[in-house]
Amino acid sequence: MRRGPTREPGSGPASRGEGSGEQPAAGRPGAVARTRRRPAPGEHVRTLTVGGRVLRVAVRSGNLQSPPLVLCNGIGARLELLQPFVDALDPRREVVRFDMPGIGGSPEPVMPYHLWTLAPLLSGLLDQLGYSQADVLGISWGGGLAQQFAVREPARVRRLVLVATATGAMMVPGHPRVLRHMLTPRRHRDPAHAAAIAGEIYGGSMRDGASRTGELPGTTAGPGPGRGYYYQLLAALGWTSLPMLPLVRQPTLILAGDDDPLTPLVNARIMHRLIPRSELTVYHGGHLDLVTEPARMAATVEKFLTAGTSTATRSADGQPAGRRGQSPRRNAGH
């Protein structure tokens, strides 16, 4: 099997601190304000019913020169968490985010669900928004959802990005004292608790202490998740992508930190070996660098998404991979 290159710490733009951009204004890359991050003015937030489940969805409009980028968040995290990363992406890129049922602005579901069954949820979301195909990025728990979707609905996924994630039940776990903090959503509700455990569970720049606590999911305003958090835990119970990984046919970028207590680096190496068209980038950082170091992470993702896209990518039905019924507009150099 042919695989892309592996980039180790210290290579490329992945050194700690580069592009951290700590600024006082909320909603900008690296912002440390303690108020809730909100979607930027150019983003449209709405509520959609998909397959009987109500989702709060944010769409940042782009020029459709390429498929939209759909972001799948970590457990208990609302869509605002990834605002710094969205702001750091190419402003021409269309971006879709959503709150899982029972998280953020999405009402709690009546019944639990499982990762095995969630591919139709993403497919239905793309249908409602009018997309035939998308690039999909999943971080942590959302990386499991992204893997499941890429295998179950391969025609809907052009490229796949997996950040700080693993293969579910059959993974190399973090230390038990780290994993015990994941059993409750307390860190999403209690800023002081979140700050106290940040370095231990997230690693990377979160070990720097109070200077980064404003970027934690637990320091956003408003109530944290309740039953929806436990539904997400249950959704991953017994789920593993390990036997499915050779079936992932999309070009795949795996991003993993060398100081990630929740998802040890060896998991990314296993995924890289099993996904045929994958490349692995090891960055110097931890579990949440997509949020705390958005500029350098966005640059790596943009490079991957734009590589080899000189011609319009097409979906299985032969339509351009942007919005249904429209031809992607392309700029010189893309």
Side-chain angles (χ1 to χ4, degrees), residues 1-5 249 272-279:
M1 294 184 296
R2 296 183 61 187
R3 304 183 186 92
R249 299 303 181 185
H272 177 46
R273 291 187 65 85
L274 293 176
I275 298 176
R277 302 174 64 191
S278 67
E279 62 180 85

Side-chain angles (χ1 to χ4, degrees), residues 94-138:
E94 191 147 327
V95 182
V96 178
R97 290 175 285 165
F98 60 97
D99 287 334
M100 285 297 298
I103 304 298
S106 295
E108 291 183 345
V110 177
M111 297 291 291
Y113 52 86
H114 199 272
L115 275 170
W116 294 113
T117 67
L118 282 182
L121 183 73
L122 285 188
S123 188
L125 178 60
L126 293 182
D127 288 341
Q128 288 225 26
L129 295 175
Y131 303 119
S132 60
Q133 194 180 51
D135 294 323
V136 179
L137 180 151

Side-chain angles (χ1 to χ4, degrees), residues 65-240:
Q65 65 176 359
S66 60
L69 177 61
V70 176
L71 304 180
C72 302
N73 222 328
I75 186 168
R78 54 193 301 146
L79 61 84
E80 284 87 353
L81 175 67
L82 295 179
Q83 191 66 49
F85 176 71
V86 173
D87 292 341
L89 290 168
D90 187 332
R92 297 168 297 178
R93 183 171 301 284
E94 191 147 327
V95 182
V96 178
R97 290 175 285 165
F98 60 97
D99 287 334
M100 285 297 298
I103 304 298
S106 295
E108 291 183 345
V110 177
M111 297 291 291
Y113 52 86
H114 199 272
L115 275 170
W116 294 113
T117 67
L118 282 182
L121 183 73
L122 285 188
S123 188
L125 178 60
L126 293 182
D127 288 341
Q128 288 225 26
L129 295 175
Y131 303 119
S132 60
Q133 194 180 51
D135 294 323
V136 179
L137 180 151
I139 176 173
S140 194
W141 185 96
L145 176 56
Q147 292 171 65
Q148 184 69 29
F149 185 52
V151 172
R152 290 290 301 273
E153 301 284 349
R156 306 304 296 267
V157 180
R158 186 191 70 125
R159 295 194 176 203
L160 183 64
V161 182
L162 303 174
V163 185
T165 192
T167 57
M170 297 178 67
M171 67 172 285
V172 179
H175 194 280
R177 70 170 179 269
V178 174
L179 298 179
R180 66 185 173 88
H181 293 300
M182 306 302 292
L183 295 178
T184 76
R186 182 183 173 188
R187 69 192 184 282
H188 292 279
R189 299 171 173 171
D190 184 347
H193 174 70
I197 67 172
E200 181 182 0
I201 66 173
Y202 298 128
S205 59
M206 286 300 180
R207 297 190 189 278
D208 296 341
S211 64
R212 309 307 297 265
T213 58
E215 296 157 293
L216 291 170
T219 60
T220 57
R227 189 170 63 186
Y229 184 91
Y230 297 105
Y231 278 1
Q232 280 191 280
L233 281 178
L234 286 172
L237 192 64
W239 177 88
T240 180

Side-chain angles (χ1 to χ4, degrees), residues 1-45:
M1 294 184 296
R2 296 183 61 187
R3 304 183 186 92
T6 301
R7 291 191 286 274
E8 299 293 345
S11 64
S15 59
R16 180 185 295 181
E18 181 181 349
S20 60
E22 293 187 3
Q23 300 168 15
R28 299 177 63 182
V32 294
R34 296 179 184 271
T35 56
R36 179 186 301 172
R37 296 186 180 100
R38 300 182 182 276
E43 294 181 83
H44 181 56
V45 181

